[in-house]
Amino acid sequence: MSETLARTPLYDLHAELGGRLVPFAGWEMPVQYTGIIEEHMAVRKTAGLFDVSHMGEARIRGRDAAAFLDRIMTNELSTLKPGAARYTLMCQPDGGCVDDLIVYRFSETEFLICLNASNAQKDLAWMRSLVGTAKVEVLDECAAWAQLAIQGPLAEQILALTTTLPLASIRRFGFLVGEVAGASGCVVSRTGYTGSAGFEIYLPAASATLVARALLAAGKPLGLIPAGLGARDSLRLEAGYPLYGHEISERISPIQAGLGWTVKFTKAQFVGREALRRQAEGGPPSSVVMFSLDDRRIARQGAIVFAGDTAVGEVLSGTLSPVLNKPIGTALVAAGFTGSSELTVDIRGTRLPLHISVEPFVK
Amino acid sequence: MSQVPANLRYTKEHEWIRLEADGTATIGITDHAQAALGDVTFVDLPKVGKSFAAGEVFGTVESVKAASDLYSPVSAEIVEANTGLNDTPDLVNREPYGGAWMIRVKLKNPAEAAQLLDAAAYSATL
């Protein structure tokens, strides 16, 4: 079986920068440039630049757009103000997740939604199937946009060297539209997936290489380096952010994933409401926990979690935390065991104690 | 381009072996292997005295990305394991042919070593 991998507008730049390209969600993406740990620490201490152009975008437009989004998403989007964004889940009637998304509001009747790369076409079809008689258009803009994420304590200082937009006025989950490095029509939002400060920039695909080069040149003296998907994964795990297909999926609901704060039962109706409410009130059969290990071995996806000799869960994600310098991860654990201090995880035949953490490892 | 020293023998699974003057041999993983793994975080090595057949798994090397098995290039008994790698697994990335050797072994069938890839043949597989 052969698969044609899509390439982002920055493909040539990745090769030039020495990025190691691997298949990811149907795309040929850089997993690392200089090394996952070095790139991870750059984001924690200075700044890193990520190409996240594989992410998809949908524009939702029309008189009923806000009401439509309230009906198909768990969070409340009709109360979002123009110039602000909000994180939300989109669920199936049984409460499983179709995707997790960030919704940006441009005006009373116009929104842009960021979709996971692996789910983009599924999401578009799902949303279109739910339009019914609503006065709303669901437009596929995946190919129109590139996305860059500049993340780290120096991200704002570096981005300010390439734009006259008043970055300090952008609050967390706020955004402005304007020019970056001479490219107009960029959406600059104070959002990210790393647990460090920073911005995500949606930009016209044709401007991507120009803007990326300008940011790298401006940031180099301050310690900005290109960072790949490997560091993006270890950063998001330290920060406790879910990844679709791991902590949330069609079989793991937002209630199980600890994302109940995104589910607004105050809305009279939305897809998945009844199933999610039953879980929230009765308690879900299993929940996602974060853990660390006092070892060098990493507990990876699929490793089995035990209470005594009984299997009570499985690992969903695992990596080495460069900040803690020990393995961390997430696991789906059966109800009744999520607070246990007696759990172990099987790594290639060795049982290691698993320490559950209620707080993210990096705040 | 990764380094492939001319004085070593290789497996197509990216281990190297160096035959020593005293009849023992030293085994590690190649520069290509460490680069492919990325940041190495853990090396699991066998105890002294254990024996392995050629092609058998003798340990594990783990990076941020993945865990990979280590295959013994020859039938051998472990006479020393590089326990220093417990504290500095990243040495595998920096000195794959030097300080990050993994095991020293006594060969059970010295003729096997001659069947391994030489540097030119290994380079051709990369």
Side-chain angles (χ1 to χ4, degrees):
Chain A
M1 193 179 83
S2 75
E3 181 190 15
T4 306
L5 295 170
R7 294 176 172 181
T8 79
L10 294 179
Y11 179 84
D12 290 338
L13 183 61
H14 297 317
E16 182 185 319
L17 293 169
R20 182 181 304 157
L21 297 157
V22 300
F24 179 83
W27 293 76
E28 209 170 347
M29 296 298 292
V31 64
Q32 66 168 59
Y33 299 85
T34 49
I36 293 173
I37 294 173
E38 181 182 343
E39 292 161 27
H40 182 112
M41 294 312 291
V43 170
R44 292 284 181 245
K45 290 179 173 167
T46 55
L49 183 70
F50 300 84
D51 175 18
V52 285
S53 302
H54 59 309
M55 304 289 280
E57 296 83 11
R59 189 178 295 265
I60 309 295
R61 187 163 69 187
R63 196 184 70 196
D64 297 335
F68 172 67
L69 292 176
D70 269 357
R71 176 161 61 83
I72 67 169
M73 306 288 185
T74 60
N75 212 331
E76 192 163 30
L77 286 317
S78 56
T79 54
L80 196 57
K81 293 189 168 52
R86 195 165 285 165
Y87 177 77
T88 184
L89 277 296
M90 180 160 70
C91 284
Q92 306 164 158
D94 69 0
C97 297
V98 178
D99 205 356
D100 68 334
L101 317 135
I102 295 181
V103 178
Y104 297 79
R105 187 169 203 166
F106 287 94
S107 71
E108 279 305 303
T109 56
E110 191 142 356
F111 298 80
L112 190 73
I113 307 182
C114 179
L115 318 168
N116 274 302
S118 54
N119 290 336
Q121 292 309 313
K122 177 186 80 168
D123 290 351
L124 285 160
W126 178 265
M127 290 191 281
R128 284 170 177 154
S129 77
L130 294 171
V131 166
T133 57
K135 295 279 180 276
V136 63
E137 284 179 286
V138 177
L139 304 172
D140 178 352
E141 295 199 352
C142 295
W145 297 95
Q147 277 192 48
L148 295 170
I150 182 165
Q151 299 279 301
L154 300 186
E156 182 163 351
Q157 192 183 336
I158 293 163
L159 182 56
L161 297 171
T162 66
T163 181
T164 55
L165 286 170
L167 299 178
S169 73
I170 305 176
R171 289 179 300 174
R172 184 151 169 74
F173 277 84
F175 69 92
L176 290 173
V177 181
E179 204 173 285
V180 177
S184 56
C186 297
V187 177
V188 178
S189 76
R190 194 184 288 277
T191 49
Y193 192 49
T194 62
S196 288
F199 294 85
E200 291 174 309
I201 308 166
Y202 296 73
L203 62 174
S207 305
T209 301
L210 184 88
V211 173
R213 281 189 194 281
L215 286 167
L216 287 169
K220 194 172 184 184
L222 293 165
L224 175 71
I225 59 172
L229 294 182
R232 186 169 158 85
D233 191 53
S234 53
L235 287 158
R236 68 97 190 165
L237 263 177
E238 272 185 355
Y241 295 148
L243 172 62
Y244 191 88
H246 292 253
E247 289 75 25
I248 46 175
S249 67
E250 288 174 2
R251 69 181 183 103
I252 305 176
S253 78
I255 302 298
Q256 290 173 282
L259 298 169
W261 60 274
T262 69
V263 182
K264 303 301 183 199
F265 293 114
T266 47
K267 294 192 294 180
Q269 195 201 3
F270 61 89
V271 179
R273 187 177 190 276
E274 292 321 307
L276 292 170
R277 195 158 80 157
R278 277 196 301 275
Q279 280 192 12
E281 286 172 359
S286 57
S287 298
V288 178
V289 298
M290 290 176 284
F291 67 82
S292 64
L293 305 176
D294 292 326
D295 199 87
R296 300 293 305 173
R297 279 168 278 209
I298 296 169
R300 298 179 195 272
Q301 185 176 23
I304 303 298
V305 175
F306 287 90
D309 282 327
T310 307
V312 296
E314 65 176 302
V315 171
L316 302 169
S317 295
T319 192
L320 182 89
S321 160
V323 169
L324 275 62
N325 195 27
K326 60 182 183 183
I328 59 169
T330 58
L332 185 66
V333 173
F337 295 97
T338 56
S340 171
S341 56
E342 308 280 303
L343 300 181
T344 60
V345 60
D346 183 298
I347 304 178
R348 299 186 294 274
T350 304
R351 297 267 182 92
L352 296 171
L354 177 150
H355 307 297
I356 289 175
S357 172
V358 274
E359 293 288 323
F361 300 105
V362 167
K363 270 176 270 182
Chain B
M1 279 303 290
S2 57
Q3 294 177 40
V4 183
N7 61 326
L8 307 177
R9 292 272 177 168
Y10 300 89
T11 68
K12 58 181 193 307
E13 289 81 22
H14 311 290
E15 288 86 13
W16 58 260
I17 180 168
R18 185 175 65 226
L19 303 173
E20 311 291 358
D22 63 1
T24 64
T26 306
I27 293 168
I29 66 167
T30 67
D31 187 35
H32 173 85
Q34 71 75 20
L37 283 164
D39 296 321
V40 171
T41 57
F42 179 71
V43 184
D44 194 11
L45 296 176
K47 290 194 166 54
V48 170
K50 285 203 76 172
S51 288
F52 296 91
E56 196 178 346
V57 173
F58 72 83
T60 310
V61 58
E62 186 156 1
S63 72
V64 176
K65 280 185 297 183
S68 301
D69 288 330
L70 297 165
Y71 297 94
S72 184
V74 291
S75 302
E77 180 186 328
I78 310 292
V79 295
E80 190 180 359
N82 187 354
T83 52
L85 296 178
N86 288 339
D87 296 324
T88 55
D90 53 315
L91 201 59
V92 175
N93 295 115
R94 291 182 278 121
E95 300 179 19
Y97 299 115
W101 63 274
M102 290 177 174
I103 51 173
R104 250 188 261 286
V105 300
K106 194 157 64 188
L107 301 183
K108 295 192 165 172
N109 179 3
E112 284 174 351
Q115 293 163 24
L116 295 167
L117 304 175
D118 63 15
Y122 176 64
S123 295
T125 70
L126 301 180

